[in-house]
Amino acid sequence: MKAYLLLADGTIVEGKGFGAEGVKFGEVVFTTAMVGYPESLTDPSYKGQILVMTYPLIGNYGVPSKEIRENGIPIHYESDKIQVEGYVISKLMRPSHWASEMSLDEWLKKEGIPGIEGVDTRALVKKIREKGVMMGALAVGDYDKEELEKIMENVRKLSYDEANFVDKVTPKGIIVHSPKKADKTVVVVDCGVKYGILREFLKRGFKVIRIPYTYDPTNAFEEFNADGIFLSNGPGNPALLKTLIENAKAIIEYNVPTMGICLGSQILALADGAEIYKLKYGHRGINKPVKDLKTGKAFVTTQNHGYAVKPESLNEFKVWMINLDDKSVEGIYHPNKPIIATQFHPEASPGPLDSTWVFDLFAKLIKGDAHGF
Ligand SMILES: NC(=O)CC[C@H](N)C(=O)O
């Protein structure tokens, strides 16, 4: 099967198709993660994006079962399905692993997601690094010149930054997860929360109540007698989520233990009156160095974001952590309230577990013993 990756700048890359036939559109982004393709593919923050892997050999450990669960949550998946619009790799490997249920090719086919292999992903990433991320399309099947031109026309009409993708991944109603012995409750404002985050809460004995992102969080707080509130990761441009930003203002006002990750961190910053800008090609990978400015300690983190907070635009919040590669903001906190947020992913999934202590800090904030933070 033939496959074509079309970029808004006019580039057409040919390769071999795998997964589903058909055309999908999305912002073309890359991750430098060497492992963890099941987690990356199911991360709801990738909704609306076509993902390019810089690591050349993908698929060699197949696809694990979704039925291996802990506290009811699949341990190898970040949501129930593949979220990327398309998948771009250099070489598709034959799977060999005792826990593999199917091949990557079969999985993408089953979920209707097109893939392309045999692509010089190094050249592609160089282009994205120079020009910045751009819209694209992945077409798997037989397409002639005219058809490809038509697809290219449509690519140029689309803008990732103006579409609300959170609407597509937020739950339709309230979802409750509880560990066997729960002593505290966290309300999760679910903009497409990664299961890895829920696993961290459940592991710490928290009952988790997931609410749709449009649900009034302070009401939910009273309704569920919650001890803490969490603003989740999610896809797309945070500045579009006006109601959520207003709700976040109310949360800050409410002064309860609050944590944000990635999109959630950007929403808290926007609620603080700060500004967001778009990074040229984002931070996506599992070896991104971050420094905690409070302790001076550095650690390696997992990241998946395209936007960042302008540090000088923060009002009440302060910069907590920075990215050691480009010095961009990787964490913020409120100096007088129990509110912490990271731009990176302390749950990793996939990636290093160096920063899961951020969840311990949130647990301490909830229990009222995070003195001196
Ligand atoms: N992982 C996330 O929550 C991503 C947040 C936001 N969509 C960004 O790209 O910056």
Side-chain angles (χ1 to χ4, degrees):
M1 221 179 355
K2 288 216 83 165
Y4 306 87
L5 175 69
L6 298 89
L7 300 179
D9 72 348
T11 309
I12 299 181
V13 183
E14 280 186 46
K16 190 173 157 211
F18 70 100
E21 278 187 59
V23 188
K24 285 281 182 86
F25 296 87
E27 185 180 57
V28 181
V29 299
F30 65 87
T31 176
T32 56
M34 300 78 72
V35 291
Y37 55 87
E39 291 93 329
S40 297
L41 288 171
T42 55
D43 178 350
S45 296
Y46 279 123
K47 188 95 238 152
Q49 291 173 325
I50 292 172
L51 184 60
V52 181
M53 301 300 283
T54 60
Y55 188 76
L57 312 175
I58 301 294
N60 48 353
Y61 57 96
V63 178
S65 166
K66 202 164 53 183
E67 296 320 314
I68 308 172
R69 292 166 189 260
E70 226 173 66
N71 292 308
I73 309 270
I75 64 168
H76 296 298
Y77 286 59
E78 293 307 305
S79 69
D80 283 330
K81 56 176 190 168
I82 301 179
Q83 303 284 356
V84 305
E85 306 295 332
Y87 202 35
V88 181
I89 62 175
S90 173
K91 187 159 175 50
L92 180 65
M93 303 301 286
R94 226 182 311 125
S96 171
H97 195 280
W98 63 270
S100 172
E101 237 194 3
M102 61 185 137
S103 69
L104 187 55
D105 178 36
E106 286 166 329
W107 192 30
L108 265 74
K109 205 167 270 156
K110 195 171 138 217
E111 305 229 352
I113 306 297
I116 182 172
E117 65 155 327
V119 170
D120 182 350
T121 46
R122 182 177 291 222
L124 182 60
V125 167
K126 272 189 176 168
K127 186 187 281 288
I128 297 170
R129 283 177 55 125
E130 272 154 34
K131 299 198 172 177
V133 290
M134 55 188 117
M135 285 307 292
L138 182 52
V140 173
D142 285 326
Y143 295 89
D144 61 24
K145 203 164 168 268
E146 233 165 75
E147 287 168 313
L148 290 174
E149 267 164 25
K150 193 108 210 101
I151 296 170
M152 186 67 90
E153 254 173 56
N154 289 329
V155 165
R156 292 192 169 128
K157 281 187 204 143
L158 295 166
S159 159
Y160 173 81
D161 305 298
E162 285 159 45
N164 181 341
F165 295 104
V166 172
D167 264 340
K168 301 195 163 125
V169 292
T170 192
K172 302 263 175 296
I174 289 164
I175 304 171
V176 180
H177 305 274
S178 192
K180 282 201 185 78
K181 272 209 311 225
D183 58 351
K184 299 280 178 195
T185 300
V186 175
V187 164
V188 170
V189 180
D190 190 342
C191 305
V193 72
K194 282 175 70 187
Y195 283 169
I197 293 170
L198 303 182
R199 289 192 294 267
E200 292 300 324
F201 288 146
L202 292 163
K203 220 184 273 176
R204 284 167 180 76
F206 295 161
K207 181 175 176 180
V208 172
I209 316 249
R210 290 159 65 189
I211 58 171
Y213 85 111
T214 44
Y215 204 86
D216 181 340
T218 53
N219 265 354
F221 210 75
E222 312 262 323
E223 198 177 322
F224 302 113
N225 199 14
D227 302 287
I229 193 149
F230 175 78
L231 290 154
S232 90
N233 63 289
N237 181 357
L240 299 179
L241 310 171
K242 301 281 185 234
T243 316
L244 184 58
I245 297 167
E246 285 311 308
N247 286 343
K249 282 184 190 164
I251 293 172
I252 296 169
E253 206 51 45
Y254 209 64
N255 195 8
V256 288
T258 302
M259 178 176 178
I261 289 181
C262 216
L263 182 92
S265 174
Q266 296 162 351
I267 294 292
L268 285 167
L270 286 165
D272 184 47
E275 285 166 44
I276 298 289
Y277 66 101
K278 188 151 182 177
L279 297 162
K280 194 170 180 191
Y281 47 85
H283 298 156
R284 295 178 186 87
I286 59 176
N287 60 351
K288 306 280 180 193
V290 166
K291 183 173 176 178
D292 179 340
L293 299 178
K294 270 175 161 277
T295 61
K297 280 188 188 158
F299 36 89
V300 177
T301 68
T302 290
Q303 301 193 10
N304 168 17
H305 63 110
Y307 303 88
V309 173
K310 276 192 191 159
E312 65 282 5
S313 67
L314 285 166
N315 291 296
E316 284 186 25
F317 278 77
K318 298 227 173 310
V319 177
W320 179 18
M321 303 181 192
I322 56 161
N323 185 310
L324 285 173
D325 287 333
D326 64 4
K327 309 292 182 280
S328 61
V329 175
E330 288 293 345
I332 57 172
Y333 70 102
H334 197 294
N336 311 314
K337 294 181 178 182
I339 310 178
I340 56 170
T342 63
Q343 185 63 68
F344 62 90
H345 287 270
E347 80 286 3
S349 284
L353 303 174
D354 304 27
S355 52
T356 50
W357 60 266
V358 178
F359 290 101
D360 296 329
L361 177 59
F362 183 49
K364 280 188 186 164
L365 288 173
I366 284 182
K367 288 174 185 153
D369 50 291
H371 305 297
F373 178 77

